[in-house]
Amino acid sequence: MSLQETVLMQLRDLILSGQFEPGQRLAEQQLAERLGASRTPVRAALVTLEQEGLVQANETGKYLVRQFTAQEVIDAIAVRGHLEGMAARLVAEHGVSRQLQGQLLTVLDEGDRLLADNPLTIESYAAYALMNDRFHALILDACGNRALQRSVELNDKLPFAPASAMLPMQGTVTMDRDWMLYAHRQHHMLFDALRRGESARAQALAVEHTEVAQMNMRLALERRAESEQVLPGIRLVVG
């Protein structure tokens, strides 16, 4: 990556990990010193982050960390569901290749193995998150619609919108683990719909799948003290 891309990635990660308070001013010189860069790539990164929706400029042109309402986050998750629903429909219409079928089955088997543990370990969560991201990425990559892929990529830059963003909150209690198992069962049902070429069912399942993430966001906000220990970025969400 170029220096500008590196600075952008580092600054985005700092914001999403809760290193700054909502509404906090992001001073170029201080950020440059913290990131070991000049002010030029920092300024460019702030412009990009404003376009992504993570920061906002005030009336004097200074950049501030943006705060989000719970509804904004839930809406972003819902948007991802509809975009991924369209991707699933396209994959079902195009037909699942033998290679894609094998890749999806490998991922699903890995998820089955990880969720067999009870209770789940931190290592299991991390491995499941990678598996979950891989499952969603395989379908998105196979849809063949670059505009749709760019839309998901942009939406995923918002707090807690990506597929695995809420996974660390899952499994903390028995009910949460049950929902995690249910979500993976949805993966299996979606694969079955894709394999059978049932485009409408695949689309509906992908949309429904994000309801688990929306529920987890609501649970995380209800248990803020616990949530901030594993999801410090939730401080960006107000209300």
Side-chain angles (χ1 to χ4, degrees):
M1 292 187 295
S2 68
L3 176 60
Q4 184 170 323
E5 291 171 330
T6 300
V7 169
L8 172 61
M9 180 186 69
Q10 291 175 328
L11 185 52
R12 184 191 293 120
D13 288 346
L14 285 173
I15 294 173
L16 291 176
S17 62
Q19 299 297 310
F20 305 107
E21 295 296 325
Q24 181 176 339
R25 180 189 165 193
L26 298 173
E28 291 180 8
Q29 184 59 42
Q30 293 176 358
L31 290 174
E33 293 173 358
R34 181 169 182 170
L35 299 175
S38 67
R39 293 178 62 174
T40 299
V42 170
R43 187 179 303 115
L46 289 170
V47 171
T48 300
L49 291 173
E50 183 184 22
Q51 295 170 345
E52 293 178 0
L54 278 180
V55 304
Q56 59 188 17
N58 62 14
E59 61 278 0
T60 64
K62 305 301 182 182
Y63 288 102
L64 311 175
V65 176
R66 190 181 158 203
Q67 61 183 21
F68 297 81
T69 66
Q71 190 59 52
E72 285 179 301
V73 176
I74 289 171
D75 287 346
I77 296 172
V79 167
R80 174 172 60 81
H82 286 283
L83 291 172
E84 291 188 342
M86 180 179 175
R89 177 174 61 80
L90 290 172
V91 171
E93 290 176 351
H94 297 160
V96 179
S97 67
R98 182 174 298 179
Q99 178 182 5
L100 178 59
Q101 181 169 322
Q103 291 171 323
L104 289 171
L105 281 173
T106 298
V107 170
L108 290 172
D109 288 345
E110 174 69 2
D112 292 339
R113 183 184 66 79
L114 291 169
L115 291 178
D117 293 339
N118 189 12
L120 298 177
T121 64
I122 295 298
E123 291 75 20
S124 297
Y125 293 145
Y128 185 88
L130 292 175
M131 181 284 306
N132 189 61
D133 285 339
R134 177 63 173 158
F135 179 84
H136 287 261
L138 283 168
I139 296 174
L140 187 62
D141 290 344
C143 80
N145 188 316
R146 184 60 188 132
L148 190 158
Q149 293 164 347
R150 286 196 298 267
S151 296
V152 173
E153 182 180 354
L154 179 60
N155 192 70
D156 278 356
K157 289 182 171 66
L158 295 173
F160 309 110
S164 292
M166 293 307 298
L167 286 177
M169 280 306 298
Q170 296 174 350
T172 53
V173 295
T174 301
M175 181 182 70
D176 292 344
R177 183 177 180 275
D178 289 343
W179 276 108
M180 206 166 175
L181 290 166
Y182 173 69
H184 192 56
R185 179 57 187 161
Q186 287 180 318
H187 289 155
H188 280 278
M189 292 189 293
L190 178 54
F191 169 74
D192 184 64
L194 294 173
R195 184 174 56 85
R196 294 173 179 271
E198 298 171 351
S199 57
R201 180 167 180 262
Q203 183 172 12
L205 284 168
V207 173
E208 180 184 344
H209 185 54
T210 57
E211 292 179 3
V212 175
Q214 294 179 52
M215 181 206 68
N216 284 332
M217 170 52 68
R218 294 187 181 95
L219 288 175
L221 291 173
E222 290 173 3
R223 308 189 305 229
R224 270 192 179 272
E226 178 186 353
S227 301
E228 289 187 8
Q229 296 179 21
V230 291
L231 292 172
I234 205 167
R235 289 196 293 265
L236 296 176
V237 184
V238 298

